[in-house]
Amino acid sequence: MTTVDIPTPDGIADAYLAHPADDRPHPAVLMYMDAFGVRPPLKAMADRLAAAGYTVLLPNVLYREGRAPVLDLPAFIGPAERPALFDRLRPALRALTPEAARRDAAAYLDWLAASPLTTTGPVGITGYCMGAALALRTAGTYPDRVAAAGFHGARLATDAPDSPHLLAGRVRAELYLGHADQDTSNPPEQIDRLEEALTSAGVRHRSEVYAGARHGFTQSDTAAYSAEADARHWRALLDLLGRTLTP
């Protein structure tokens, strides 16, 4: 497990790299962070995927603001801490436009393709909160380079002209979407709109609503964390990657 630097058209993105200890090539997984960034709990998730047989790249997608951690985080992020943290993160989040995200995704995919630690073929992607939107955008922008993508996200099917769900017609990957039912950033009408777009486009996918889960239910250092929903997420994610990635 190490930190690597990835050249992008907009600068150098630092990233956490996790891979099995044998140093042989393994299927590649691109893990997109949530807004709070690359930190120990997310690194632990990357390590868990690596232990399951994958080479995992976890980029700091807010690298335009600085190297990870972009800001100092408390050990536990509760409702009292969130507003001030998002106020400080807002400029960095605004800089990550859909166009910038597409450029970055190409750099991440190129890096993985060139790494001696990855096998040839399309990659898997998992993304959390804003990371799920990045995962969907990547799958729709580079359809031949992505075999599978998930997981839970925000604002996946809005009224905006550049909403992620509008890329459904370009997606060739198999998708799994685990939605939290207690998530104001991903309300039922957006879940339905995304489901309709994916179904109409013929995208292989499974969309499930996790009852009682809140936005960010996989993030163990936040108040939204749910051990039950997180365990369900791991079962679904490992099943998806195991069926779609070339060993």
Side-chain angles (χ1 to χ4, degrees):
M1 296 26 173
T2 187
T3 299
V4 297
D5 286 344
I6 301 173
T8 83
D10 298 344
I12 300 296
D14 54 303
Y16 180 72
L17 180 68
H19 55 84
D22 58 15
D23 287 334
R24 290 163 41 203
H26 292 269
V29 174
L30 175 58
M31 177 183 284
Y32 279 126
M33 59 184 235
D34 66 349
F36 297 127
V38 178
R39 60 197 191 279
L42 268 179
K43 290 180 179 180
M45 293 173 71
D47 292 345
R48 182 168 175 175
L49 274 181
Y54 301 98
T55 295
V56 185
L57 185 70
L58 170 61
N60 167 27
V61 303
L62 302 182
Y63 69 88
R64 292 170 181 83
E65 191 72 12
R67 298 179 71 86
V70 171
L71 52 82
D72 293 329
L73 295 170
F76 182 78
I77 302 169
E81 291 80 18
R82 289 179 67 90
L85 291 174
F86 272 103
D87 283 346
R88 294 165 62 191
L89 284 167
R90 199 162 284 116
L93 295 171
R94 277 199 296 262
L96 187 62
T97 63
E99 293 76 17
R102 293 186 193 104
R103 294 194 298 271
D104 291 347
Y108 305 148
L109 294 172
D110 287 346
W111 192 94
L112 284 167
S115 173
L117 295 174
T118 64
T119 55
T120 59
V123 309
I125 306 178
T126 185
Y128 303 95
C129 306
M130 75 171 191
L134 295 174
L136 185 53
R137 290 191 189 282
T138 302
T141 305
Y142 305 102
D144 296 332
R145 306 186 69 177
V146 180
F151 210 87
H152 69 77
R155 292 174 286 281
L156 297 176
T158 70
D159 294 326
D162 57 1
S163 175
H165 81 286
L166 298 176
L167 291 168
R170 291 179 46 85
V171 172
R172 299 293 175 265
E174 181 176 345
L175 305 184
Y176 178 95
L177 298 157
H179 305 289
D181 73 342
Q182 307 295 312
D183 188 350
T184 57
S185 66
N186 189 36
E189 57 268 26
Q190 288 196 35
I191 295 174
D192 292 343
R193 184 181 296 153
L194 177 59
E195 175 68 22
E196 181 179 351
L198 296 175
T199 300
S200 297
V203 177
R204 291 171 298 149
H205 72 283
R206 185 174 182 182
S207 179
E208 297 184 325
V209 176
Y210 287 30
R214 291 183 285 171
H215 180 77
F217 60 82
T218 59
Q219 304 304 300
S220 62
D221 59 341
T222 74
Y225 179 70
S226 164
E228 181 180 358
D230 186 35
R232 180 178 175 183
H233 138 264
W234 278 109
R235 290 193 297 270
L237 177 60
L238 292 173
D239 176 67
L240 176 68
L241 298 178
R243 288 186 291 102
T244 56
L245 296 189
T246 303

